[in-house]
Amino acid sequence: MTRYPPHPDDCAMVATLDSRTAVRSAAAPSAVLADPARVIVVDDDPELRTLIAGFLRDNGLNVETAADAVELGALLDAGGAALLILDVMMPGEDGLSVVRRLQGANRPGIIILSAMGDDTDRIAGLELGADDYLAKPCNPRELLARVRSVLRRRASPTTTVQARRFGEWTLNIVTRRLGLGNGSEVPLTDAEFRVLTALLDRPQSVLSRDQLLDAARGEGVEIFDRAIDVTVSRLRRKLGPSDPIRTIRNLGYMVTLIPEPIVP
């Protein structure tokens, strides 16, 4: 099997992760992960793979590693996983092909971690079904935050999330009302609620208009391409002058904050 040379960005990632000793005290294990779910780091670079796995273990996660899709398959057959951190450019079956193959309700969560970090690659990975996409090199604390976010979103359905807090705002999932920083609440239309929920499901990731159209369509609801822009505009007015929604020209929209679930 041909071995690809390390990408220059991988070297930068290694340098970033090499400082993880200083990060440990700033990123203590979360109580959410007191019973750690199984995470598999899949990357053909052994040094990078070991460093990422070591950092995540230091922060309370149960981590195993695989060098390629074949090793990943063996680990999944032996016991499944809650989350994959998946490189794209691997020998043999590449990461995007793995994402495409792992479909269905019981598939693990997937974070793509790749040197291919432009918007087109991000959108392709997300549209194939990845839960998040992070470009190399990255801050290890950001990777940890995204891992925890995906694990929370994919938590057991027996845990009922009643609301989601993001920055100064709170989205009440039961009443479909938006709580503002001044303590007041405003109602959301069905389309506004669905679009905001879709953006919060994939924080800090660009969602295209087509993706938001799919999210906004409720039973018996017709909504069209330009109506997404109107819906987002209304949402931004309700969020106020410091709203966290950003327009990514020619691509779509994203929320800049990572939400926290609020449970009973």
Side-chain angles (χ1 to χ4, degrees), residues 84-135:
L84 309 181
I85 299 174
L86 186 64
D87 186 27
V88 171
M89 298 175 65
M90 298 186 296
E93 185 179 10
D94 65 48
L96 293 180
S97 175
V98 171
V99 175
R100 188 181 298 110
R101 178 165 54 84
L102 294 177
Q103 298 295 333
N106 295 322
R107 74 159 179 83
I110 298 174
I111 296 177
I112 294 177
L113 183 63
S114 175
M116 301 169 62
D118 64 44
D119 290 325
T120 301
D121 294 318
R122 289 174 187 265
I123 291 171
L126 293 170
E127 288 185 337
L128 283 174
D131 295 273
D132 207 343
Y133 194 118
L134 192 58

Side-chain angles (χ1 to χ4, degrees), residues 218-234:
E219 186 175 348
V221 174
E222 289 292 334
I223 188 167
F224 302 97
D225 186 21
R226 302 313 299 180
I228 287 296
D229 296 328
V230 175
T231 300
V232 171
S233 178
R234 288 179 185 149

Side-chain angles (χ1 to χ4, degrees), residues 111 132-134 142-150 203-205:
I111 296 177
D132 207 343
Y133 194 118
L134 192 58
E142 181 180 3
L143 174 60
L144 178 63
R146 290 181 184 241
V147 166
R148 287 174 169 164
S149 177
V150 172
Q204 300 178 349
S205 299

Side-chain angles (χ1 to χ4, degrees), residues 110-215:
I110 298 174
I111 296 177
I112 294 177
L113 183 63
S114 175
M116 301 169 62
D118 64 44
D119 290 325
T120 301
D121 294 318
R122 289 174 187 265
I123 291 171
L126 293 170
E127 288 185 337
L128 283 174
D131 295 273
D132 207 343
Y133 194 118
L134 192 58
K136 300 177 185 176
C138 71
N139 186 311
R141 284 174 289 186
E142 181 180 3
L143 174 60
L144 178 63
R146 290 181 184 241
V147 166
R148 287 174 169 164
S149 177
V150 172
L151 289 175
R152 282 193 297 264
R153 296 202 305 266
R154 297 178 63 86
S156 169
T158 57
T159 300
T160 303
V161 176
Q162 290 191 339
R164 304 169 83 176
R165 182 182 296 113
F166 55 108
E168 64 187 77
W169 303 274
T170 302
L171 177 63
N172 190 310
I173 295 171
V174 178
T175 65
R176 297 196 170 196
R177 295 176 71 87
L178 181 66
L180 308 179
N182 60 11
S184 63
E185 287 189 342
V186 294
L188 298 177
T189 66
D190 184 67
E192 289 168 352
F193 175 80
R194 289 171 180 269
V195 167
L196 182 55
T197 297
L199 290 168
L200 292 175
D201 282 344
R202 291 184 175 173
Q204 300 178 349
S205 299
V206 179
L207 295 188
S208 68
R209 286 185 175 85
D210 285 342
Q211 288 174 297
L212 292 175
L213 273 171
D214 290 340

